[in-house]
Amino acid sequence: MKSPILYTGSKRRLINKGLIELFPSNIDVFCDLFCGGGSISLNIEANMYYMNDKCTQITSLLRLFQDIDPIFLLKNIEEIILKYNLEKNVINNLRKPTEYHKERYLLLRNEYNKCKNPLYLYVLIIYSFCHQIRFNSNNEFNMPCGNGHFSKELKSIILNSNKFFNNKNYTITNNDFRVLKPCNLSENDFVYLDPPYFNTTATYNENGGWTKNDENDLYKLCEELNNNHIKFALSNVFSNKGIVNEKLIEWCEKNNWNIHYFDNFTYSACGKGNGKTVEVLIMNY
């Protein structure tokens, strides 16, 4: 199942490479600690889901699908698109943003930055450059206009996501990852961690970034989970664009974690590859 939230940090490619098949079976509570757009949670079988992300804008988008019927949500999205005439440039499948289209996009962007309505943000992401999400130091959305449109595929994904969001067996929070207390979990629970990578920078984590202290606390949390007999899996990269995360490799060797290597592949953003990446899943089971 695809997430209806267009998110740069999505793990959809790794799902296609067998990521979820590496997870334990018979999960009671699935803790998706850096959930992003929710792609992993939407494809996991569990009795309960704990979906968390520190970015309040992302969790506000998830709550849209939690709180609003998808058919009504589609209607609201289409009303905003019509109000700002954002589909005007879609003619004979030739999508090239015109100056008029950019002006209309900026009007919506300005309105969102004033009112912070998550519906407006969702529409902005549809039309933003490469569907990316970025906020400046004033917490304002500042991605420029792209050439996207409200496709039939996305409409179908929104409707299909109701299969997950309608169950109501999940909690959405926007806490710092350090809030999680392993002592409150049981041995049948499972924690998945997909943090910002220490040796990379992307639009979704550039403000404040991911510090050495964050990295150390992440390792401590994983060790504490292990000491409490809680299964965890950590997505990360050993190297990216020639930059090796020696700290992560040493930590893995020290604790003798089980490592699954995904085939080397090149991530692509905005039509540009960013070099070969050694992507791994680090597990304590």
Side-chain angles (χ1 to χ4, degrees):
M1 185 182 298
K2 292 182 180 179
S3 169
I5 298 172
L6 304 169
Y7 190 64
T8 306
S10 170
K11 280 291 174 284
R12 188 170 62 190
R13 290 184 68 184
L14 288 187
I15 290 174
N16 293 335
K17 286 180 173 286
L19 172 67
I20 288 173
E21 282 75 12
L22 298 170
F23 290 175
S25 56
N26 302 318
I27 300 170
D28 187 14
V29 179
F30 177 63
C31 298
D32 198 351
L33 206 52
F34 301 83
C35 70
S39 293
I40 299 296
S41 289
L42 266 66
N43 289 282
I44 291 291
E45 288 188 14
N47 294 324
M48 293 291 296
Y49 302 81
Y50 172 70
M51 302 172 69
N52 177 76
D53 201 281
K54 188 177 180 180
C55 179
T56 56
Q57 295 91 344
I58 290 296
T59 53
S60 72
L61 293 176
L62 287 170
R63 290 191 179 104
L64 279 179
F65 296 90
Q66 179 184 33
D67 298 334
I68 304 177
D69 178 84
I71 294 177
F72 186 63
L73 184 60
L74 277 176
K75 181 182 178 182
N76 287 338
I77 292 170
E78 289 169 345
E79 286 176 353
I80 295 170
I81 291 171
L82 182 62
K83 177 181 177 181
Y84 288 88
N85 207 3
L86 291 169
E87 288 284 296
K88 184 178 176 63
N89 68 314
V90 183
I91 302 173
N92 297 327
N93 294 321
L94 178 63
R95 301 195 301 275
K96 184 177 180 181
T98 63
E99 288 305 314
Y100 172 85
H101 184 65
K102 293 176 183 177
E103 289 172 4
R104 304 303 296 180
Y105 173 85
L106 290 176
L107 285 174
L108 177 59
R109 194 177 75 177
N110 291 337
E111 185 59 30
Y112 166 73
N113 286 328
K114 290 177 184 176
C115 69
K116 305 300 183 184
N117 185 332
L119 260 175
Y120 285 13
L121 176 60
Y122 188 78
V123 176
L124 279 171
I125 296 168
I126 295 172
Y127 296 96
S128 70
F129 182 60
C130 291
H131 307 302
Q132 293 202 52
I133 303 171
R134 185 180 66 195
F135 301 90
N136 62 23
S137 58
N138 293 323
N139 213 26
E140 296 174 328
F141 185 81
N142 65 351
M143 282 303 300
C145 178
N147 62 355
H149 76 111
F150 194 32
S151 66
K152 290 182 180 179
E153 180 187 8
L154 182 54
K155 293 175 186 178
S156 177
I157 291 171
I158 290 172
L159 292 173
N160 288 336
S161 68
N162 191 51
K163 296 174 185 176
F164 175 86
F165 289 104
N166 194 46
N167 287 328
K168 304 295 183 184
N169 58 342
Y170 56 89
T171 301
I172 298 172
T173 62
N174 62 291
N175 296 319
D176 183 274
F177 73 92
R178 282 164 278 244
V179 170
L180 183 70
K181 302 299 180 186
C183 61
N184 295 330
L185 301 174
S186 75
E187 293 185 16
N188 293 324
D189 300 336
F190 175 58
V191 180
Y192 174 65
L193 308 100
D194 181 28
Y197 299 156
F198 188 56
N199 57 336
T200 66
T201 300
T203 55
Y204 58 85
N205 75 318
E206 60 189 359
N207 278 332
W210 181 258
T211 67
K212 186 176 181 179
N213 183 58
D214 294 325
E215 188 82 351
N216 288 333
D217 286 346
L218 176 71
Y219 297 164
K220 290 177 184 177
L221 174 60
C222 290
E223 291 170 7
E224 191 176 351
L225 287 167
N226 188 62
N227 292 336
N228 281 268
H229 308 290
I230 309 299
K231 292 184 178 69
F232 76 81
L234 167 66
S235 280
N236 220 297
V237 293
F238 279 168
S239 67
N240 179 65
K241 292 191 289 187
I243 302 174
V244 178
N245 190 341
E246 299 285 359
K247 185 178 181 66
L248 177 64
I249 295 172
E250 290 174 5
W251 175 72
C252 289
E253 292 175 348
K254 175 185 174 182
N255 289 278
N256 198 29
W257 303 129
N258 184 22
I259 312 295
H260 176 84
Y261 289 81
F262 293 95
D263 294 338
N264 288 4
F265 55 88
T266 301
Y267 277 112
S268 179
C270 307
K272 298 179 180 179
N274 66 353
K276 286 186 177 180
T277 301
V278 179
E279 186 108 21
V280 296
L281 187 70
I282 302 163
M283 300 160 281
N284 70 332
Y285 55 92

